[in-house]
């Protein structure tokens, strides 16, 4: 049974800052503040209306127009601090753009099979097409998720990357390139405080890019 600890504050903060899941868009007050200050909200609405009438780009339009970073097709050589498990499924990446995406937030108990099935179905657009490359990220452990996820739904491939604590920013840059080629990213359990070391690298913007492209992050 795959058990893992509750999501750390770091991971939740990182994931909830991704596109489409922040409840307080840039430039807008949070919902709790909006309830307490309706006059401020009215003033802001008037400002947005004025911006629209003048042709200015609103915060909502900026988020909608966000463009995903291009995928790097070049060869990737992993550093010694990153271990890749044997890939389950197709050797070649699925290059079909995902249909839509979202977030999986779970922890503190057994894995929820239906969440991985859901991840496949929304990026594939149906339940039967073999589509989507899943990349499992972890700081310790082994490949316990690979066969499990691959058997749950018809993904194109599933693979785990084990990133050692000794990994330097340049090594995480390499991981970021692999993330950019995936449609589903899943942070494995264990002590997720280990992932704090990744926050200032290119790895986290690459995770953001998965969501921007319409993929799933869990």
């Amino acid at each position: 049974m795959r058990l893992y600890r509750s999501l750390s504050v770091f991971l939740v903060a990182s994931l909830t800052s991704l596109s489409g899941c922040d409840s307080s868009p840039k430039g807008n007050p949070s919902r709790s503040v909006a309830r307490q200050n309706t006059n401020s909200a009215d003033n802001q609405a008037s400002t947005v209306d004025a911006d629209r009438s003048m042709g200015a780009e609103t915060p909502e339009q900026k988020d909608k127009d966000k463009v995903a970073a291009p995928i790097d097709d070049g060869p990737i050589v992993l550093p010694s601090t990153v271990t890749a498990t044997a890939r389950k499924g197709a050797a070649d990446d699925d290059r079909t753009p995902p249909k839509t995406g979202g977030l999986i937030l779970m922890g503190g108990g057994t894995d929820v099979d239906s969440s991985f099935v859901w991840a496949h179905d929304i990026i594939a657009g149906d339940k039967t097409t073999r589509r989507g490359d899943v990349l499992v990220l972890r700081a310790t452990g082994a490949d316990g998720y690979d066969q499990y996820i691959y058997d749950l739904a018809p993904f194109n491939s599933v693979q785990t990357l084990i990133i050692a604590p000794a990994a330097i920013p340049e090594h995480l840059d390499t991981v970021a390139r692999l993330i950019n080629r995936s449609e589903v990213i899943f942070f494995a359990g264990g002590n997720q405080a280990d992932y704090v070391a990744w926050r200032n690298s290119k790895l986290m913007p690459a995770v953001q890019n998965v969501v921007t492209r319409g993929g799933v992050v869990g």
Side-chain angles (χ1 to χ4, degrees), residues 171-186:
H171 297 172
L172 298 178
D173 292 352
T174 302
V175 175
R177 294 175 62 193
L178 288 171
I179 291 173
N180 274 327
R181 298 182 181 186
S182 305
E183 286 70 50
V184 179
I185 302 298
F186 186 72

Side-chain angles (χ1 to χ4, degrees), residues 2 106 110-119 148 152-153:
R2 291 160 298 280
M106 65 179 177
T110 57
D111 297 312
V112 181
D113 295 357
S114 60
S115 65
F116 296 102
V117 176
W118 168 84
Y148 160 67
L152 283 175

Side-chain angles (χ1 to χ4, degrees), residues 77-203:
V77 178
L78 291 177
S80 59
T81 57
V82 180
T83 301
T85 64
R87 179 167 167 151
K88 302 294 182 183
D92 295 329
D93 294 335
D94 177 13
R95 306 312 299 272
T96 306
K99 298 293 185 181
T100 186
L103 296 177
I104 299 172
L105 297 178
M106 65 179 177
T110 57
D111 297 312
V112 181
D113 295 357
S114 60
S115 65
F116 296 102
V117 176
W118 168 84
H120 166 270
D121 293 351
I122 64 169
I123 64 171
D126 60 64
K127 296 180 178 297
T128 58
T129 304
R130 187 162 292 284
R131 182 160 294 164
D133 298 301
V134 182
L135 194 63
V136 179
L137 302 180
R138 59 192 319 156
T140 58
D143 63 350
Y145 274 107
D146 293 2
Q147 192 68 53
Y148 160 67
I149 295 176
Y150 189 73
D151 290 343
L152 283 175
F155 288 106
N156 183 65
S157 73
V158 184
Q159 187 174 36
T160 293
L161 292 186
I162 305 167
I163 306 169
I168 60 176
E170 288 78 7
H171 297 172
L172 298 178
D173 292 352
T174 302
V175 175
R177 294 175 62 193
L178 288 171
I179 291 173
N180 274 327
R181 298 182 181 186
S182 305
E183 286 70 50
V184 179
I185 302 298
F186 186 72
F187 289 82
N191 185 1
Q192 296 189 344
D194 292 337
Y195 304 155
V196 174
W198 305 348
R199 62 184 174 183
N200 292 323
S201 70
K202 292 181 180 179
L203 187 152

Side-chain angles (χ1 to χ4, degrees), residues 19 61-70 205 208-214:
S19 294
Q61 289 171 321
K62 290 179 181 178
D63 288 339
K64 185 178 180 180
D65 295 339
K66 205 173 277 184
V67 178
Q208 166 72 66
N209 193 45
V210 172
V211 176
T212 302
R213 288 190 287 112

